[in-house]
């Protein structure tokens, strides 16, 4: 069982520009953890570092796991699926299986694929070409592809973007079930503060070099929304200043 | 027609090459590499001419040139070579080089025709064995690497996210393509590698909604095309490649028509 993910003092720069600036936090096993922040804040970058796709300049990510190496399922932010892509949903899900040097799937692997699709409630889409599915249906297939490795952690990069409110709700309930029923730790990025409020146990707010972490009531309130979506660039530095206050006093001083 | 040795050889070699092209073509299309395949065939032409000029076996020259350029393209990144400008520069450069080597060597005319337009009458048993070996190698490697290649070809972002070594897959596939092109050039000629390597796969895309289905249909179309070409050519004396290209083109247009018809009918599960 996964007990903790410890993110310790990560630093990442692209072309000399600091994207992650000494960020540290812990995620507990079985938690629903949200990451919010403006475009370009480095949220996707942070997930990629956790995943090991990007090597940080400094700091590290460690996993405390009881009995095995931690397996991570990741659903990237954008995937261009050509409408003409000649691949059935179930085949698309099976791509995620740990690869072996034989072309066909074993009976066991077929069952794994079916289970993953059942858990993400998309079994009924199995025989449809992926290119013809709606955005919400595709997201389920993407999550199923990540689930097929039987991960301890799911990293979801804006999986509810572009979904209608109802589909968004259904998607998050599904993710919540994966978390609560199957004990999968979920780290998700979202720009939808309602979603974050309702589903996240804790929230990390990040904006270039500034980080706040707490439960959703602490980090989010009406003003935070305003800050995220309405503040102009000139306003931001002084507002960010507030976030620099030591955590704990945060809510008292905010805005 | 099978009483002739050369026809037997042609059928064996042609069938194997067609099978290989049918399978690899599906990935060539999925990875949008058709024009790189076409470029490889021209690089191969230069390689073969070079080999003739220095007195090597043409296949050796073909392999040398195509494999080296596969490595080069792999190093620089495929993206750059998807741009049509790069393709036309490289393609014309090597066509020019090929012509230079040909003019430098003495036995031109016959060889030029063979390497540009393909030939099946000149295949001896030794060539057949070479072709058996190379096609078998390509098909086996494709089978062993199928899962990795499939993931990377149809969902590259997902493959990268899952930690697959996408750069090595890309380079490995280019090398395989170089091998495949070198073998195919000998049958259909440098100018028409397209005919076997991409057209059957493109046609198969119209008939099937699954990768495995596409591979099967594409291989069948390629093999039928080669058989059709060899037989027709035997009885009419017109070039083999002409019949192969006509067959594959017909399959493609029928495929397009079929899709159009399907779309009109609105078959459940297939909305378009
Ligand atoms: N591979 C890269 N090379 C150079 N710069 C990069 C790279 N990846 C990300 N960046 C830069 O890092 C910054 C953070 O990018 P990131 O994708 O992490 O943002 P984000 O918080 O996910 O934004 P969004 O909400 O728009 O998805 C951006 O300014 C981006 O331009
Ligand atoms: Mg992002």
């Amino acid at each position: 069982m996964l007990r903790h993910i410890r993110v310790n003092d990560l630093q990442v720069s692209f072309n000399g520009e600091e994207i992650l600036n000494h960020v540290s936090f812990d995620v507990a096993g079985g938690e629903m953890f949200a990451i919010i922040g403006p475009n370009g804040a480095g949220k996707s970058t942070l997930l990629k570092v956790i995943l090991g796709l990007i090597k940080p300049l400094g700091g590290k990510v460690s996993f405390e796991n009881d009995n095995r190496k931690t397996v991570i399922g990741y659903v990237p932010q954008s995937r261009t699926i050509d409408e003409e892509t000649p691949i059935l949903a179930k085949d698309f899900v099976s791509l995620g299986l740990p690869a072996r040097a034989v072309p066909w799937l074993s009976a066991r692997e077929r069952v794994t694929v079916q289970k993953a699709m059942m858990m993400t409630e998309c079994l009924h889409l199995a025989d449809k070409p992926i290119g013809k599915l709606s955005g919400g249906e595709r997201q389920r297939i993407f999550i199923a592809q990540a689930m097929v490795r039987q991960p301890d952690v799911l990293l979801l990069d804006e999986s509810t973007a572009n979904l209608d409110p109802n589909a968004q709700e259904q998607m998050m309930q599904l993710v919540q079930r994966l978390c609560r029923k199957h004990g999968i730790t979920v780290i998700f990025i979202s720009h939808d503060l309602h979603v974050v409020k309702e589903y996240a146990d804790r929230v990390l707010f990040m904006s270039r070099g500034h980080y706040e972490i707490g439960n959703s009531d602490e980090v989010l309130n009406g003003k935070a929304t305003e800050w995220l979506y309405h503040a102009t660039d000139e306003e931001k530095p002084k507002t960010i200043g507030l976030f620099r206050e030591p955590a704990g006093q945060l809510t008292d001083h905010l805005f | 027609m099978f009483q002739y040795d050369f026809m037997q050889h042609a059928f064996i070699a042609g069938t194997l090459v067609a099978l290989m092209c049918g399978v690899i073509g599906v990935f060539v299309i999925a990875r949008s590499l058709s024009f790189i395949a076409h470029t490889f065939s021209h690089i191969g032409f230069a390689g073969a001419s070079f080999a003739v000029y220095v007195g090597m076996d043409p296949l050796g020259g073909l392999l040398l040139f195509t494999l080296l350029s596969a490595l080069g393209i792999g190093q620089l990144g495929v993206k750059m070579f998807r741009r049509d400008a790069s393709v036309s520069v490289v393609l014309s450069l090597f066509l020019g080089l090929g012509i230079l080597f040909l003019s430098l060597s003495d036995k031109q005319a016959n060889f030029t025709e063979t390497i540009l337009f393909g030939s099946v009458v000149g295949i001896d048993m030794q060539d057949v064995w070479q072709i058996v070996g190379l096609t078998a190698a390509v098909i086996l490697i494709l089978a062993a690497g199928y899962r990795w290649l499939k993931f990377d070809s149809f969902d590259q972002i997902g493959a990268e996210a899952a930690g697959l070594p996408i750069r090595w897959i890309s380079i490995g596939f280019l090398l395989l393509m170089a091998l495949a092109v070198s073998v195919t050039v000998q049958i259909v000629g440098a100018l028409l590698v397209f005919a076997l390597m991409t057209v059957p796969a493109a046609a198969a895309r119209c008939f099937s909604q699954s990768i495995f289905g596409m591979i099967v249909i594409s291989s069948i179309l390629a093999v039928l095309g080669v058989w059709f070409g060899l037989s027709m050519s035997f009885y009419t004396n017109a070039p083999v490649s002409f019949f192969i290209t006509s067959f594959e083109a017909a399959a493609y247009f029928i495929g397009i028509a079929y899709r159009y018809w399907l779309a009109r009918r609105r078959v459940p599960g297939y909305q378009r």
Side-chain angles (χ1 to χ4, degrees), chain B residues 10 36 49 117 119 123 126 158 190 209 224:
Chain B
I36 293 190
S49 315
F117 304 107
S119 153
I123 302 178
Q126 196 200 336
Q209 297 282 301
L224 287 181

Side-chain angles (χ1 to χ4, degrees), chain A residues 14-15 19 37-46 77 158 191 208:
Chain A
F14 289 124
N15 312 319
I19 306 297
N39 292 132
K43 304 178 297 297
S44 300
T45 306
L46 177 56
Q77 181 166 5
E158 298 192 24
H191 286 297
R208 291 291 169 85

Side-chain angles (χ1 to χ4, degrees), chain A residues 83-94:
Chain A
E83 205 195 308
E84 300 292 314
T85 306
I87 180 165
L88 303 180
K90 62 178 178 201
D91 291 338
F92 193 87
V93 173
S94 75

Side-chain angles (χ1 to χ4, degrees), chain B residues 15-36:
Chain B
T15 306
L16 286 171
V17 167
L19 261 181
M20 171 187 74
C21 284
V23 178
I24 205 171
V26 170
F27 295 102
V28 172
I29 297 258
R31 302 172 75 86
S32 317
L33 296 180
S34 359
F35 280 93
I36 293 190

